[in-house]
Amino acid sequence: PDHTDRFGSFGNPLLEPETSKSIELGIIFDLSTQSRFQLSLFNNQIDQLIEVNGGFTQMINIDETEIKGVEISYSNRLEKWRYRLDAVFQDAKNKLTNDPLSRRAKSTLNAQVSYHHGLWRVASFVSLISSRDDSSFNDTILAGYGLVDLTASYRFSRQSQLSMRID
């Protein structure tokens, strides 16, 4: 636990430190010199996970939690264009109660496209996050949402560039 977890507004000086065991198995396929596909399976066992309690009044430890899932990624370059698509599908739960862990989306999708021309670069990044459980202490479901950002940059040299970004 950090200082805020122990002594902040929801602080609990009796918090135990988190410990975890993680395993990941992945494979990468270079489909060509320009494109790549990646697949990873993961399992994270976390003991004493630190989260806020149901009344949002104090930080607590959750004895045993597990986050398991799959991550899929595809990237490609085509002349001046670059594309990347990532998806994560996960199941995050309290192993003792089988309740979902708070505020962890079951699926996330990210897409990025960029165009490079000389010293110029224009890019867009989109994220879609699925709905998720607010807390195991209530029945509230937080809605899914999306984020979009647009970036343009000009590189003056290897050491300097000017960028503009809209989120």
Side-chain angles (χ1 to χ4, degrees):
D2 65 18
H3 186 75
T4 303
D5 292 336
R6 296 182 69 215
F7 305 109
S9 57
F10 299 139
N12 177 355
L14 303 176
L15 287 173
E16 296 291 324
E18 296 177 344
T19 59
S20 66
K21 295 177 186 171
S22 300
I23 187 167
E24 183 172 347
L25 176 65
I27 190 163
I28 299 171
F29 295 100
D30 284 328
L31 303 171
S32 71
T33 57
Q34 305 296 317
S35 66
R36 172 177 279 184
F37 175 80
Q38 294 177 257
L39 176 68
S40 298
L41 304 173
F42 60 89
N43 185 297
N44 301 321
Q45 307 280 329
I46 306 166
D47 292 330
Q48 303 303 327
L49 179 72
I50 298 170
E51 285 206 349
V52 69
N53 69 357
F56 294 94
T57 58
Q58 187 176 47
M59 301 304 289
I60 60 171
N61 287 110
I62 300 176
D63 290 334
E64 296 179 43
T65 60
E66 179 180 52
I67 303 170
K68 59 184 175 181
V70 61
E71 184 172 0
I72 303 165
S73 176
Y74 173 75
S75 59
N76 191 18
R77 284 185 300 172
L78 184 61
E79 297 179 13
K80 297 179 181 186
W81 292 91
R82 292 192 177 125
Y83 311 91
R84 183 173 178 95
L85 184 64
D86 301 300
V88 176
F89 304 97
Q90 66 180 2
D91 182 29
K93 65 181 177 182
N94 179 326
K95 286 179 65 176
L96 299 178
T97 64
N98 212 29
D99 289 330
L101 292 180
S102 303
R103 301 183 178 192
R104 286 176 175 80
K106 286 193 174 285
S107 58
T108 303
L109 179 66
N110 298 309
Q112 182 176 9
V113 61
S114 62
Y115 179 78
H116 301 254
H117 181 73
L119 301 174
W120 287 94
R121 177 179 176 266
V122 179
S124 179
F125 185 79
V126 177
S127 291
L128 301 173
I129 293 85
S130 69
S131 61
R132 62 230 175 273
D133 187 58
D134 179 45
S135 169
S136 59
F137 300 99
N138 66 41
D139 293 328
T140 303
I141 301 297
L142 301 173
Y145 61 95
L147 302 170
V148 177
D149 76 51
L150 303 169
T151 303
S153 63
Y154 180 81
R155 182 166 295 283
F156 294 101
S157 68
R158 286 183 176 245
Q159 294 81 20
S160 62
Q161 80 175 16
L162 177 64
S163 296
M164 291 184 355
R165 180 170 154 167
I166 300 171
D167 290 328

